[in-house]
Amino acid sequence: FFFGFQHMKIFIAEKMAACGVAALEAAGHHIISKAVSGDTLREAVAAEAPGVLVVRSTKVTAAIIDACPTLEMIVRAGAGFDTIDVAKASEKGIYVCNCPGKNAAAVAELAMGLMLALDRLIADNVVDARQGRWNKAKYSKARGIAGKTLGIIGQGNIAKEVIARAKGMDMKVVMWSRSLTPEGAAALGATPMASVLDVCANADIVSLHVAANKDTKGLANRAFFEAMRPGALFINTTRGSVVDEEALKWALDHKGIRAGLDVFEHEPAAKEGECAIPLASHPNVYITHHIGASTDQAQDVTALEAARIINKYAAVQIADNCVNTEDSEALHTGVMTVRHLNKVGVLAAILEEIRGAGWNVSDVNLIMFCGGQAASARIGFTRQGSTADPKKVQSAVQALGDVLAATLQEAHHAD
């Protein structure tokens, strides 16, 4: 059955590829597109009252979320979502969705480009030529990357795309990830390492491809760079927080490490203008302007994915790629399954008995039998703090009119 498509008001806070906007407009949504951020974004969503907010790199703070009580969904048109206050969104019952993997090829292309640029000193070549200097002797000493060992930290979509390109350039690959198995590494044509430091010690080039979170903050620290080979290349296209920039500065100065960086700890908030990036002037550093995902191809497929997520939610109230919902099964301390006649008020009476026991319902799954005369309700619940006897609650439900049978299962945890 189709119960009707929900036409939504959608606020797009940054430039979105035209194909994605067209897909939303074709579905009949009301689109508001304004390139705003910070307090201006907070004021805009408070005034416009959208149901969906779409962002790329714009930060969505608790204040912005609080300012918009109509908000149902925040869509990050990209993979990472560390720029969104997910805890506040969860507190407000707002879905946070992302578009993983859609920009993986673009980021991988930049990572490979930085490797080649560093090896051949391409940027320095260009600068000298533009300033009228010819220095073939200086720039004829590249090592080359064929046959070299690439070290990968992580095993997400981008890491896999980088590995595929590296294998195509005859590179060897070693890698580490917390969840990496020998079989998983073998499938990628890589050699698994026991630790991050083992990757560093065995690679000519190390490339980071991990999510930014509390576990990866400062992952590339002094010990990391001490373990790297002298003169090795270091690539970061993930997030600036993953790198201890003081430790990297030490490695640039004392180990001859050369770095290709697309991200930094303190990036400029504006799209253009002056910037003061401490490492930018270091001769061993090549910097790009956080453009890893910024190709026309990547922007198109990401925009279409964001539109797909929104249109599916508008149609069936299912939030694909949601990052802030939990598996309700993991929350249950018990499940009651009740077979009952399909009559008005029966399910409400069952739930009232459960409420009276002080149990909190965490999930309800209703199955109808052929003919529509009977149904089965599977009700997951938690009962922390409740002193009600489960057997008595089960009996009370069983005694309700039009209930056919009630069974109770409680979770058992190993000591």
Side-chain angles (χ1 to χ4, degrees):
F1 291 96
F2 181 70
F3 294 101
F5 189 90
Q6 180 185 4
H7 294 106
M8 308 189 74
K9 183 183 283 189
I10 302 168
F11 194 106
I12 303 173
E14 296 174 72
K15 183 179 179 182
M16 185 178 187
C19 58
V21 177
L24 294 171
E25 289 176 337
H29 299 298
H30 177 199
I31 309 298
I32 303 161
S33 185
K34 295 180 180 179
V36 291
S37 60
D39 288 341
T40 307
L41 175 57
R42 177 180 56 78
E43 293 165 1
V45 296
E48 298 288 357
V52 179
L53 173 61
V54 181
V55 295
R56 285 179 57 199
S57 56
T58 296
K59 290 185 178 181
V60 182
T61 63
I64 291 170
I65 294 170
D66 281 335
C68 190
T70 58
L71 201 57
E72 299 178 40
M73 172 180 280
I74 300 168
V75 178
R76 159 75 166 101
F81 47 89
D82 53 314
T83 53
I84 299 170
D85 193 326
V86 176
K88 172 58 73 170
S90 299
E91 177 188 316
K92 296 286 187 177
I94 298 168
Y95 296 105
V96 177
C97 303
N98 66 344
C99 303
K102 300 303 177 182
N103 58 16
V107 179
E109 288 169 359
L110 180 63
M112 297 304 297
L114 287 169
M115 293 177 206
L116 292 168
L118 285 167
D119 181 62
R120 292 298 186 97
L121 298 176
I122 291 174
D124 297 82
N125 272 265
V126 171
V127 169
D128 274 357
R130 285 179 176 172
Q131 294 178 353
R133 289 192 296 268
W134 184 256
N135 201 340
K136 185 173 181 178
K138 176 182 177 181
Y139 297 126
S140 298
K141 299 175 182 178
R143 298 176 183 177
I145 66 172
K148 299 298 184 182
T149 300
L150 172 63
I152 297 286
I153 310 296
Q155 64 163 338
N157 292 310
I158 296 171
K160 291 172 182 175
E161 293 286 349
V162 171
I163 291 171
R165 286 157 177 76
K167 300 296 286 185
M169 299 182 78
D170 295 326
M171 299 183 76
K172 303 169 188 174
V173 180
V174 297
M175 65 185 300
W176 175 89
S177 171
R178 286 187 177 85
S179 56
L180 182 66
T181 63
E183 296 77 17
L188 294 170
T191 301
M193 295 281 107
S195 69
V196 170
L197 298 187
D198 284 338
V199 172
C200 294
N202 287 278
D204 302 297
I205 305 168
V206 178
S207 191
L208 297 181
H209 301 288
V210 295
N213 54 46
K214 60 181 178 62
D215 294 324
T216 60
K217 184 175 177 60
L219 173 69
N221 55 18
R222 179 67 175 263
F224 179 103
F225 292 112
E226 285 178 344
M228 285 182 66
R229 295 174 175 177
L233 306 184
F234 172 71
I235 309 296
N236 185 21
T237 55
T238 56
R239 286 291 188 269
S241 63
V242 178
V243 178
D244 178 341
E245 292 185 357
E246 285 298 318
L248 173 55
K249 174 70 163 52
W250 172 86
L252 299 169
D253 291 340
H254 298 285
K255 294 197 68 173
I257 300 296
R258 285 181 286 161
L261 309 174
D262 188 46
V263 289
F264 320 95
E265 182 68 50
H266 302 291
E267 292 183 18
K271 297 298 181 185
E272 60 181 60
E274 294 184 358
C275 67
I277 299 170
L279 294 175
S281 60
H282 199 289
N284 285 10
V285 175
Y286 279 6
I287 278 178
T288 51
H289 301 225
H290 201 158
I291 57 168
S294 300
T295 66
D296 290 344
Q297 294 170 330
Q299 294 307 307
D300 284 351
V301 295
T302 301
L304 288 172
E305 174 68 354
R308 184 196 69 80
I309 291 168
I310 295 167
N311 284 337
K312 182 171 180 178
Y313 179 74
V316 294
Q317 294 290 290
I318 293 175
D320 279 354
N321 298 346
C322 186
V323 303
N324 65 326
T325 56
E326 292 192 54
D327 179 3
S328 59
E329 292 288 338
L331 301 176
H332 301 340
T333 57
V335 174
M336 182 179 288
T337 303
V338 184
R339 289 185 294 111
H340 59 89
L341 297 181
N342 182 29
K343 293 183 178 180
V344 174
V346 178
L347 184 57
I350 295 167
L351 293 173
E352 179 60 26
E353 287 291 340
I354 292 174
R355 188 197 68 81
W359 298 356
N360 185 50
V361 173
S362 51
D363 183 60
V364 177
N365 183 32
L366 191 65
I367 298 173
M368 300 298 298
F369 290 98
C370 291
Q373 308 244 341
S376 177
R378 185 178 185 274
I379 305 167
F381 61 86
T382 58
R383 60 186 189 90
Q384 286 95 336
S386 171
T387 58
D389 183 341
K391 294 296 183 183
K392 289 183 178 179
V393 178
Q394 179 188 1
S395 297
V397 171
Q398 178 74 65
L400 292 171
D402 299 320
V403 168
L404 304 173
T407 58
L408 184 68
Q409 295 173 294
E410 293 200 74
H412 297 283
H413 302 285
D415 294 333

